[in-house]
Amino acid sequence: MKSEIICIGTELLMGQTLNTNVQFLSQKLAELGMDCYYQSVVGDNSQRLNDALSLALSRSELIITTGGLGPTFDDMTKNIMSEISGIPLVYHQDSLDKILKSYTDRNLPMTDNNKKQALVIEGAHVFKNETGSAPGFAFKCHHSLVVVLPGPPKEMQPMVNHEVVPYLEQFMDARLVSDYLYLFGIGESSVEASLSDEILYSSNPSVAPYASVDHVVLRVTSKAKTLEEAQALNKPMVALLSDQFTNHLYSINEPNMAQVLVDHLIERSITIATAESLTGGKISDLITSVDGSSKVFKFGACTYDSAFKESLLGVSHDEIAKNTPVTAKVATQMALGIQKYAQTDIGIGITGVAGPTTYRDDKPVGLVYIAVAIKDDVTVKEYHLSRNLKNERQSIKKLAALHALKDTLDRL
Amino acid sequence: MKSEIICIGTELLMGQTLNTNVQFLSQKLAELGMDCYYQSVVGDNSQRLNDALSLALSRSELIITTGGLGPTFDDMTKNIMSEISGIPLVYHQDSLDKILKSYTDRNLPMTDNNKKQALVIEGAHVFKNETGSAPGFAFKCHHSLVVVLPGPPKEMQPMVNHEVVPYLEQFMDARLVSDYLYLFGIGESSVEASLSDEILYSSNPSVAPYASVDHVVLRVTSKAKTLEEAQALNKPMVALLSDQFTNHLYSINEPNMAQVLVDHLIERSITIATAESLTGGKISDLITSVDGSSKVFKFGACTYDSAFKESLLGVSHDEIAKNTPVTAKVATQMALGIQKYAQTDIGIGITGVAGPTTYRDDKPVGLVYIAVAIKDDVTVKEYHLSRNLKNERQSIKKLAALHALKDTLDRL
């Protein structure tokens, strides 16, 4: 099924909003095995919206739109759909009741523009909105299937996961399955260079490396009649690649390294505490973003002022005075200090220079020491994360935090 | 100048990569006063890339492309450009030298595909790449100006800021200036509902509200011959709106609330420390992501295990035992405790339930207490951040952290 995605909203054309919807929807289409050939954005302008939809109807079998279903005057998606298809809009009673109730529940008067959100194309298949007001819907327009979704990701995403995907599955005669190998600490071109031509040019499964800020992903994709057959086709290639990249691979199909770490820790009842300097709480934030992390994460100290490295963690005053707080020894003492203070199995200590100002000539931006203490055994590593980029403070913090998670994972 | 953006890369169509480039470029075009009517994405496929460029050439005066300039076999942007324009590709000597040098510097052998990155359209205006290998360039193709940029944001963004924007400015005869009012703790529809029709329908300046995850933005935009005239047109409207939304406004033109807070603190030499429970280090991470924050941020404690609330912060054991760690009193004692421990002017204490599991029936997901202690004066607020959404843990953490920053700002 040849598909395309149209995102509606002037805020996207103006760059005011980052378009995360198109990524989410592309992933879903890829998983369904639908080829997505076009992605486009159109503003809240009836003529251009009309043009964009007409063009899409001329070339795609499935068109997914997001946005323009809200209560305000510039939300016009449904009116244009009605114009183009010649099918009138009608109120979807359940949605209307829900909107009314949300106002009476809060003792608020409902403005008329909010009623508009309950309109759908007559005869459409309606997708209910678990987390907002405007329902989505699907209808046949000329020769295409058009799926109309709300713009806010928190409304659109659950709607797609719970209703749109099962609805679309009925139209598929082949299934595509992708497995993702998540690698850290290696670049995309090194990954590609070390792949044999046989792998690079294989077609079912196909293999493709992608780089993101946090990691390199190797995507392995197979197409088959059933989900099970496609999964089986993927298996030997995933095993082969896992073996080749074993030093860098941190997970198959789970992009979140903190999730991988917390799962390991919970499984083996290992507790952890962190002492952070340059990362400023980023490591504890990543860990505690994982559901269930409170079972294993006990305490995090962000000793931004070095005085607390000494008083709370027992880092040697002489070491800091003589050699600055950015040394392997300080990281080691931080790891041991926090492990002792919080009485946990693991202590992570991290110190470095986040920039943008160089701390001292011999302590350049991006110099980071990460120590991981497990029982009495401490390892410490030196990293040079600076890549001569501007405004790299946040990237260095994030990258340093991820290295800390990876170093910890490698010790388990 | 009617413009459009084409992003090239199958990883975008597959949803593997989030397209941040298009937002960045849209913002730059908006600032330049160029109308961006189309944004589209095309895969690494020569036929469709050819089609997309041909369509763009037929309808836009300025076309900006990103992506497909890398060393690997699927990077084909420049070859297609050469085909369509009939102009050959030539090596850009400076770029070639730089690529060679980067390999000899690292004592690495250079593979032939890396040379390819130094190719540009003959006679093009070249934009150098400060942070990577492939240069960008601009050239006249048929009746349009085509700007060709690398895909990685860390290469594309500095190139645009330092070279492409000044280059494009010469083609503009009118300038657009936008001011952004950043509001927190109020919804988009409330903002719009409280705007008079006069404001909503005004055209120069125009006013538009946008919602993002973190805030609502009111964009005020004026168009004039010069930058100065456009700025002057904006001024009275910005003042009017600042007045109307004074309780929610946290900044004009600075979206990052932590930056606003740190600027305030540095300006007045006020030190700060944080004691976090549900936010798990998110507040200290936000604060320390701001350059210069080490001048004012001293210490952060992430007391995830309640034992540390008692031992380090002096929170009453009885209060926790009787009433759980999620109470206004605990937040207050955390704020005072961390202020005392770190000897700072301000202490922030925050406790709550991040979910997804409800802590106790009377402590639902999203219940958060935030206390801000300045000297002996503590304020504490209760928030209900849950909005009945799934997988809201990270959103609640972030939203709670932002409320803590806003509560602190409000006290200054």
Side-chain angles (χ1 to χ4, degrees):
Chain A
M1 213 167 181
K2 221 160 131 182
S3 67
E4 83 176 87
I5 300 167
I6 301 176
C7 300
I8 298 155
T10 300
E11 70 277 19
L12 296 167
L13 286 181
M14 299 287 293
Q16 197 53 35
T17 301
L18 178 63
N19 193 349
T20 55
N21 283 352
V22 75
Q23 182 184 30
F24 177 82
L25 289 169
S26 306
Q27 286 172 347
K28 293 295 161 183
L29 289 173
E31 285 163 19
L32 279 164
M34 295 198 181
D35 295 312
C36 177
Y37 286 146
Y38 307 96
Q39 296 174 347
S40 51
V41 172
V42 59
D44 302 310
N45 169 293
S46 59
Q47 187 53 53
R48 282 192 291 275
L49 182 48
N50 206 314
D51 288 351
L53 284 165
S54 302
L55 178 63
L57 286 167
S58 76
R59 65 184 181 188
S60 295
E61 296 158 277
L62 169 67
I63 300 155
I64 301 187
T65 74
T66 65
L69 306 189
T72 63
F73 72 101
D74 58 355
D75 291 308
M76 56 185 73
T77 303
K78 291 185 290 199
N79 300 71
I80 305 286
M81 298 281 178
S82 172
E83 256 176 51
I84 289 183
S85 64
I87 313 174
L89 293 172
V90 294
Y91 283 109
H92 181 244
Q93 195 58 48
D94 283 359
S95 302
L96 192 60
D97 293 346
K98 192 183 149 193
I99 294 169
L100 280 163
K101 188 173 177 304
S102 78
Y103 281 85
T104 49
D105 279 359
R106 291 177 295 167
N107 272 321
L108 291 171
M110 188 177 85
T111 52
D112 247 9
N113 56 4
N114 280 298
K115 268 178 76 177
K116 179 181 141 188
Q117 295 184 90
L119 287 170
V120 298
I121 290 277
E122 192 178 46
H125 177 95
V126 174
F127 306 117
K128 60 172 186 276
N129 192 333
E130 294 170 18
T131 50
S133 302
F137 56 89
F139 72 107
K140 195 87 191 170
C141 183
H142 308 324
H143 300 291
S144 310
L145 179 67
V146 181
V147 172
V148 180
L149 302 175
K154 292 183 177 174
E155 300 180 24
M156 187 272 284
Q157 291 182 12
M159 189 182 287
V160 168
N161 286 333
H162 304 145
E163 306 207 35
V164 180
V165 167
Y167 175 79
L168 290 177
E169 272 174 344
Q170 65 182 300
F171 301 107
M172 303 305 304
D173 56 356
R175 291 304 301 265
L176 208 77
V177 165
S178 290
D179 284 301
Y180 301 91
L181 282 80
Y182 290 96
L183 312 179
F184 185 74
I186 183 170
E188 184 193 7
S189 56
S190 304
V191 170
E192 189 177 306
S194 59
L195 291 174
S196 68
D197 279 2
E198 217 173 321
I199 290 179
L200 262 182
Y201 294 99
S202 78
S203 66
N204 200 24
S206 67
V207 174
Y210 295 112
S212 89
V213 182
D214 298 351
H215 45 237
V216 171
V217 192
L218 273 170
R219 192 190 69 226
V220 180
T221 303
S222 295
K223 200 167 190 166
K225 273 250 146 111
T226 67
L227 209 68
E228 291 68 28
E229 284 174 68
Q231 282 165 339
L233 276 171
N234 260 9
K235 236 179 178 174
M237 181 65 89
V238 168
L240 188 77
L241 293 169
S242 301
D243 225 43
Q244 183 175 348
F245 295 99
T246 183
N247 286 337
H248 298 285
L249 180 77
Y250 68 83
S251 125
I252 294 168
N253 295 330
E254 173 53 66
N256 183 349
M257 213 192 300
Q259 178 80 53
V260 177
L261 177 62
V262 169
D263 286 349
H264 269 285
L265 297 176
I266 290 179
E267 201 188 307
R268 296 160 61 181
S269 298
I270 298 172
T271 57
I272 192 165
T274 54
E276 305 186 50
S277 190
L278 89 152
T279 43
K282 174 62 90 187
I283 304 175
S284 64
D285 180 37
L286 289 174
I287 292 176
T288 61
S289 289
V290 178
D291 180 26
S293 52
S294 61
K295 292 193 193 97
V296 290
F297 182 77
K298 297 299 164 192
F299 183 72
C302 172
T303 54
Y304 227 53
D305 187 320
S306 276
F308 301 105
K309 292 187 182 72
E310 299 175 21
S311 61
L312 188 78
L313 305 175
V315 174
S316 139
H317 177 79
D318 282 0
E319 171 66 12
I320 291 177
K322 258 194 232 156
N323 301 320
T324 83
V326 183
T327 69
K329 194 169 167 189
V330 170
T332 304
Q333 292 181 342
M334 287 172 74
L336 287 167
I338 197 71
Q339 183 194 38
K340 188 175 165 197
Y341 176 79
Q343 297 184 281
T344 50
D345 302 310
I346 301 181
I348 299 178
I350 183 164
T351 180
V353 186
T357 324
T358 299
Y359 177 61
R360 250 176 45 175
D361 282 355
D362 60 335
K363 306 286 177 188
V365 172
L367 173 66
V368 176
Y369 294 97
I370 300 174
V372 179
I374 303 187
K375 312 279 170 183
D376 296 330
D377 189 9
V378 195
T379 50
V380 61
K381 285 193 185 180
E382 177 180 317
Y383 291 95
H384 295 267
L385 304 178
S386 172
R387 282 173 298 181
N388 200 24
L389 300 175
K390 283 160 190 172
N391 300 320
E392 274 288 278
R393 188 178 174 88
Q394 295 192 34
S395 309
I396 287 178
K397 283 181 65 182
K398 176 101 189 266
L399 205 52
L402 290 172
H403 271 291
L405 298 181
K406 180 69 164 59
D407 285 357
T408 310
L409 262 177
D410 287 346
R411 293 281 311 278
L412 294 176
Chain B
M1 212 166 179
K2 222 159 127 183
S3 67
E4 81 177 88
I5 300 166
I6 302 177
C7 299
I8 298 155
T10 302
E11 70 277 21
L12 296 167
L13 286 180
M14 297 288 292
Q16 197 54 33
T17 301
L18 179 63
N19 193 348
T20 55
N21 283 352
V22 74
Q23 181 184 32
F24 176 82
L25 288 168
S26 307
Q27 285 172 348
K28 293 294 159 182
L29 290 172
E31 284 163 19
L32 280 163
M34 295 197 182
D35 295 312
C36 178
Y37 286 147
Y38 307 97
Q39 296 174 347
S40 52
V41 172
V42 59
D44 302 311
N45 170 295
S46 59
Q47 187 53 53
R48 283 190 291 274
L49 180 48
N50 205 314
D51 288 349
L53 284 166
S54 301
L55 178 64
L57 286 166
S58 75
R59 65 185 181 187
S60 295
E61 296 159 275
L62 170 67
I63 300 155
I64 301 186
T65 73
T66 65
L69 306 189
T72 62
F73 72 100
D74 58 354
D75 293 308
M76 56 185 74
T77 302
K78 292 186 288 198
N79 300 69
I80 306 286
M81 298 280 178
S82 173
E83 257 176 51
I84 289 183
S85 65
I87 313 174
L89 293 172
V90 294
Y91 282 109
H92 180 244
Q93 195 59 47
D94 283 0
S95 301
L96 193 59
D97 293 346
K98 193 182 148 193
I99 294 170
L100 280 164
K101 190 174 177 302
S102 79
Y103 281 85
T104 49
D105 279 0
R106 292 178 293 166
N107 272 322
L108 291 172
M110 191 178 83
T111 53
D112 248 9
N113 56 4
N114 281 296
K115 268 177 76 177
K116 179 181 143 190
Q117 294 184 87
L119 287 170
V120 300
I121 288 278
E122 190 177 47
H125 178 95
V126 174
F127 306 117
K128 61 171 186 276
N129 191 334
E130 295 170 18
T131 50
S133 302
F137 56 88
F139 71 107
K140 194 88 191 169
C141 184
H142 309 323
H143 301 289
S144 311
L145 179 67
V146 182
V147 173
V148 180
L149 301 174
K154 291 182 179 175
E155 300 182 25
M156 187 272 284
Q157 291 183 11
M159 189 181 287
V160 168
N161 286 331
H162 305 144
E163 307 209 36
V164 180
V165 167
Y167 175 80
L168 290 177
E169 273 174 345
Q170 64 180 304
F171 301 107
M172 303 306 303
D173 56 356
R175 293 302 304 264
L176 208 79
V177 166
S178 291
D179 284 302
Y180 300 92
L181 283 81
Y182 290 95
L183 313 179
F184 184 75
I186 183 170
E188 184 193 8
S189 57
S190 304
V191 170
E192 188 176 308
S194 59
L195 291 174
S196 69
D197 279 0
E198 218 172 320
I199 291 180
L200 262 183
Y201 294 99
S202 79
S203 66
N204 200 24
S206 66
V207 175
Y210 295 113
S212 87
V213 182
D214 297 352
H215 45 238
V216 171
V217 192
L218 273 170
R219 192 189 70 229
V220 181
T221 303
S222 295
K223 199 168 194 167
K225 272 249 147 114
T226 68
L227 208 68
E228 292 70 26
E229 284 175 70
Q231 282 165 340
L233 275 171
N234 260 9
K235 236 178 178 175
M237 182 64 89
V238 169
L240 188 79
L241 293 169
S242 300
D243 226 45
Q244 183 176 348
F245 294 100
T246 184
N247 285 336
H248 297 286
L249 181 77
Y250 69 84
S251 131
I252 295 168
N253 295 330
E254 174 51 66
N256 182 347
M257 211 192 298
Q259 179 79 53
V260 177
L261 177 61
V262 170
D263 286 348
H264 269 285
L265 297 176
I266 291 178
E267 201 187 306
R268 298 160 62 182
S269 299
I270 298 171
T271 56
I272 193 165
T274 53
E276 306 186 51
S277 189
L278 88 152
T279 44
K282 174 61 90 187
I283 302 175
S284 64
D285 180 38
L286 290 174
I287 292 176
T288 62
S289 289
V290 177
D291 180 25
S293 52
S294 60
K295 292 192 193 97
V296 291
F297 182 76
K298 297 299 163 193
F299 184 73
C302 172
T303 53
Y304 227 55
D305 187 320
S306 276
F308 301 104
K309 294 187 179 75
E310 298 175 24
S311 61
L312 187 80
L313 305 174
V315 174
S316 137
H317 177 80
D318 282 1
E319 172 66 13
I320 292 178
K322 255 194 233 154
N323 299 321
T324 82
V326 184
T327 69
K329 194 168 169 190
V330 170
T332 304
Q333 292 181 344
M334 286 171 75
L336 287 167
I338 198 70
Q339 184 195 37
K340 189 174 165 200
Y341 176 78
Q343 296 184 281
T344 50
D345 302 311
I346 301 181
I348 298 177
I350 183 164
T351 179
V353 185
T357 324
T358 301
Y359 177 61
R360 249 177 44 175
D361 281 355
D362 60 335
K363 307 285 178 188
V365 172
L367 173 66
V368 176
Y369 294 97
I370 300 173
V372 179
I374 303 186
K375 313 279 171 189
D376 297 331
D377 190 10
V378 196
T379 50
V380 60
K381 285 192 184 181
E382 177 179 319
Y383 291 95
H384 294 267
L385 303 179
S386 173
R387 283 175 299 183
N388 201 23
L389 300 175
K390 283 161 191 173
N391 300 320
E392 273 290 277
R393 188 178 174 89
Q394 295 194 34
S395 310
I396 287 178
K397 281 181 66 183
K398 176 103 188 264
L399 204 53
L402 289 171
H403 271 291
L405 298 180
K406 180 68 163 61
D407 285 356
T408 311
L409 263 178
D410 287 345
R411 293 282 309 278
L412 292 177

